[in-house]
Amino acid sequence: MTTSTEWREALSRALKEFHTWRDSRPFWAGLMTLSAGWPILYLAYGHLTLGGVTMALSTAAGAGSLVIGILLITLGLLMWLRPLGRVFAGIAAILLSLVSLPIANFGGLLVGALLGLVGGSLACAWSPPSEDPDVDGQSAHPSTPEPGGRHAP
């Protein structure tokens, strides 16, 4: 019985730590940017089988697909590991997603390009949580009166 309780407590503690980690960085932007690189990489080198018909989208631009896919995956990891570089990573992800349209099989059949555009936009729009949250629209620290009866801002 205690091992079950210990497991629940450990799982609860791990989930709480993950939520704290996730809230302190642009998690969803990084996830979308990271996942944008996979279709771009796969479609340049893989083969799709649809109903017994094998389709290969290998082109001469395979090196461009490789570079764009790996850079998008790297930028997604950068958003997770270095949240302060989110604007650079977001703008780079948007530009790479746009460049992938003509170079990398229409940006991984539009899936990779759209994920990269949304992920880059989310990274640029994300802001770190404030250190001193407001409660009901009021500051947590009330202003102190200055000498002479005025309140400090």
Side-chain angles (χ1 to χ4, degrees), residues 13-141:
R13 193 170 41 252
L15 283 174
K16 184 176 181 182
E17 289 173 5
F18 173 72
H19 288 298
T20 303
W21 178 83
R22 184 188 69 188
D23 291 341
S24 66
R25 60 201 70 245
F27 177 78
W28 297 109
L31 183 66
M32 286 191 176
T33 305
L34 181 77
S35 60
W38 292 114
I40 292 172
L41 276 174
Y42 179 75
L43 290 175
Y45 296 103
H47 301 287
L48 296 174
T49 303
L50 301 171
V53 177
T54 301
M55 182 173 56
L57 294 173
S58 300
T59 63
S65 300
L66 179 70
V67 169
I68 290 171
I70 288 176
L71 283 174
L72 282 172
I73 291 169
T74 304
L75 289 170
L77 291 173
L78 178 71
M79 290 176 197
W80 282 352
L81 301 176
R82 299 284 184 216
L84 293 178
R86 71 189 181 279
V87 176
F88 164 75
I91 292 172
I94 290 170
L95 291 176
L96 282 171
S97 297
L98 290 173
V99 167
S100 75
L101 289 170
I103 291 179
N105 296 323
F106 294 113
L109 296 179
L110 293 178
V111 174
L114 290 176
L115 284 171
L117 288 171
V118 171
S121 300
L122 285 173
C124 291
W126 183 83
S127 61
S130 63
E131 295 291 328
D132 191 21
D134 288 348
V135 179
D136 296 328
Q138 297 178 356
S139 176
H141 300 291

